[in-house]
């Protein structure tokens, strides 16, 4: 039996993980892209649990940075970054459920060079920002455009980086708020966690009828923390499979892959993001194994792992996980 057959999606989903109808959302289908996660727009697509959806996404800059001579501050209009495709309405989704989103593939889209990374003044992990004000002058603006294929990322004539794609921003709508797509929180959003990659399943809390799934901001490769505030941003074609877990009840995103189970917390300071993720994981391990919460807490102090998604956004994101072989 494959690991997917024993996943939460396959064992508890309405569609039991079986692929249903196929759909697509192209750039033209989407029309206007969204820069907030919220309930106040009409869905671009309605699907039943099990649907397989091919989604075209823009890069974080909506394709506006086209040359290494471009200056981001002259082109971009903050906070209109991270354009989101969606929302997708899932039939039967109600508050207290979870959308299960299986990431099947992520492929670069458009003419080369499709990858963009850059330095933006007062944005990043090692510079003064509006929240950490410094007298030091900002670093100079800089843009680097890179060729990206599924075989690799060409950094230079002598160095090719691996192609390690993932979805930087994915989530459901809050119940009442409309929140910037630059910010991660309990609904998902701009978590920038590299584990959100093909082969993984993310379980996102449903806060309003239909769930309202948004996604965008795909990356070709990113180091832990997204250090300068920008990874290798790229337009992409993403294939996902959507299921519905009734009464799942999680308040924060849960991430499952072949070898591990984890949760993602987003907050400032960074240790609070880790606390959220680990608290949710402690509760899951206890419920899954029948151990007390205290025993699960002690187990995770020995076997838990933490990965930094971003350390640059309005809230920081960390994923806490445990290998499935320790959950017995």
């Amino acid at each position: 039996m494959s690991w997917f057959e024993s996943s939460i999606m396959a064992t508890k989903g309405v569609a039991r993980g079986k692929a249903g109808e196929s759909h697509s959302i192209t750039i033209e289908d989407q029309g206007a892209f969204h820069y907030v996660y919220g309930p106040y727009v009409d869905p671009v697509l309605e699907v039943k649990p099990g649907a397989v959806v091919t989604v075209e996404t823009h890069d974080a800059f909506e394709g506006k940075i086209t040359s290494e001579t471009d200056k981001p501050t002259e082109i971009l209009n903050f906070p209109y970054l991270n354009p989101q495709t969606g929302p997708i309405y899932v039939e039967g989704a109600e508050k207290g459920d979870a959308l299960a989103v299986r990431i099947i593939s992520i492929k670069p889209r458009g003419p080369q060079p499709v990858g963009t990374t850059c330095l933006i003044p007062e944005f990043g992990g090692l510079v003064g920002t509006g929240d950490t004000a410094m007298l030091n002058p900002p670093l100079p603006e800089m843009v680097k455009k890179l060729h990206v294929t599924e075989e690799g990322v060409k950094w230079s004539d002598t160095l090719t980086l691996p192609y390690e794609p993932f979805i930087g921003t994915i989530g459901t709508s809050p119940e009442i708020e409309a929140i910037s797509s630059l910010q991660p929180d309990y609904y998902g959003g701009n978590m920038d966690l590299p584990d959100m990659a093909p082969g993984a399943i993310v379980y996102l809390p449903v806060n309003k009828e239909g769930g309202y799934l948004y996604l965008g901001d795909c990356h070709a490769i990113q180091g832990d923390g997204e250090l300068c505030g920008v990874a290798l941003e790229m337009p992409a074609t993403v294939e996902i499979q959507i299921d519905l877990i009734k009464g799942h009840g999680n308040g924060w995103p849960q991430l499952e892959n072949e070898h591990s189970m984890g949760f993602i917390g987003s907050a400032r300071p960074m240790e609070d993001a880790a606390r959220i993720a680990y608290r949710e994981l402690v509760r899951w391990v206890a419920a899954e194994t029948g151990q007390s919460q205290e025993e699960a807490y002690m187990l995770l102090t020995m076997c838990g792992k933490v990965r930094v998604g971003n350390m640059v956004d309005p809230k920081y994101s960390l994923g806490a996980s445990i290998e499935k072989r320790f959950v017995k």
Side-chain angles (χ1 to χ4, degrees):
M1 183 173 70
S2 71
W3 80 268
F4 177 70
E5 292 176 87
S6 62
S7 68
I8 294 173
M9 181 175 178
T11 57
K12 297 184 178 181
V14 170
R16 290 295 188 268
K18 294 180 180 178
E21 296 178 355
S22 295
H23 304 268
S24 66
I25 305 174
T26 65
I27 296 294
E28 292 73 26
D29 293 333
Q30 179 66 34
F33 283 77
H34 302 295
Y35 294 90
V36 296
Y37 276 63
Y40 304 112
V41 294
D42 293 329
V44 70
L45 178 68
E46 296 189 14
V47 302
K48 296 179 180 178
V52 176
V53 186
T54 301
V55 180
E56 291 186 348
T57 66
H58 269 307
D59 69 9
F61 313 117
E62 204 169 335
K64 294 177 181 177
I65 297 178
T66 60
S67 166
E68 292 188 346
T69 61
D70 287 343
K71 289 192 174 182
T73 56
E74 296 177 357
I75 294 171
L76 305 178
N77 181 16
F78 290 84
Y80 292 94
L81 297 174
N82 278 3
Q84 298 296 292
T85 303
I88 299 171
Y89 181 104
V90 181
E91 291 184 18
E94 302 172 299
K95 186 175 180 179
D97 298 340
L99 297 187
V101 183
R102 181 187 185 190
I103 304 169
I104 299 171
S105 67
I106 303 172
K107 298 180 179 182
R109 182 182 63 79
Q112 296 286 0
V114 301
T116 305
T117 192
C118 60
L119 299 181
I120 300 174
E122 295 196 331
F123 185 54
L126 296 180
V127 299
T129 70
D131 293 322
T132 54
M134 302 287 180
L135 289 173
N136 309 63
L139 293 176
E141 293 185 70
M142 182 181 295
V143 172
K144 195 168 178 70
K145 300 287 290 186
L146 301 176
H147 284 251
V148 178
T149 70
E150 294 179 73
E151 285 68 50
V153 173
K154 187 178 180 182
W155 175 258
S156 68
D157 290 339
T158 58
L159 178 60
T160 298
L161 304 176
Y163 179 64
E164 297 175 343
F166 70 96
I167 302 173
T169 308
I170 184 171
T172 51
S173 173
E175 184 173 12
I176 189 170
E177 305 101 320
I179 303 176
S180 169
S181 57
L182 290 171
Q183 177 161 300
D185 214 309
Y186 61 92
Y187 51 84
N190 192 29
M191 298 173 285
D192 290 317
L193 190 74
D195 294 331
M196 205 73 67
I201 307 168
V202 59
Y203 303 95
L204 298 162
V206 172
N207 304 294
K208 72 168 265 85
E209 179 184 320
Y212 274 47
L213 176 69
Y214 296 82
L215 69 154
D217 182 37
C218 289
H219 298 170
I221 185 172
Q222 177 196 294
D224 290 1
E226 197 179 22
L227 187 59
C228 76
V230 177
L232 187 54
E233 314 291 333
M234 69 170 186
T237 300
V238 181
E239 186 177 14
I240 56 175
Q241 181 180 343
I242 305 170
D243 209 337
L244 175 65
I245 316 295
K246 297 297 295 182
H248 196 53
N250 288 346
W252 289 84
Q254 181 177 10
L255 187 66
E256 180 178 13
N257 59 35
E258 181 176 1
H259 301 293
S260 65
M261 183 71 74
F263 285 83
I264 305 162
S266 298
R268 280 199 187 195
M270 189 176 289
E271 54 264 34
D272 280 354
R275 288 176 180 128
I276 290 167
Y278 261 134
R279 181 194 62 188
E280 298 301 307
L281 187 56
V282 164
R283 291 172 174 174
W284 180 83
V285 169
E288 190 72 12
T289 64
Q291 299 178 75
S292 69
Q293 183 168 277
E294 291 74 19
E295 288 175 311
Y297 185 24
M298 290 189 289
L299 177 64
L300 282 164
T301 204
M302 294 180 284
C303 300
K305 296 183 179 179
V306 165
R307 186 168 198 185
V308 181
N310 86 78
M311 51 177 278
V312 293
D313 291 331
K315 292 185 178 182
Y316 304 147
S317 295
L318 286 93
S321 65
I322 186 172
E323 291 182 39
K324 291 178 178 178
R325 62 193 176 101
F326 298 133
V327 183
K328 298 180 179 178

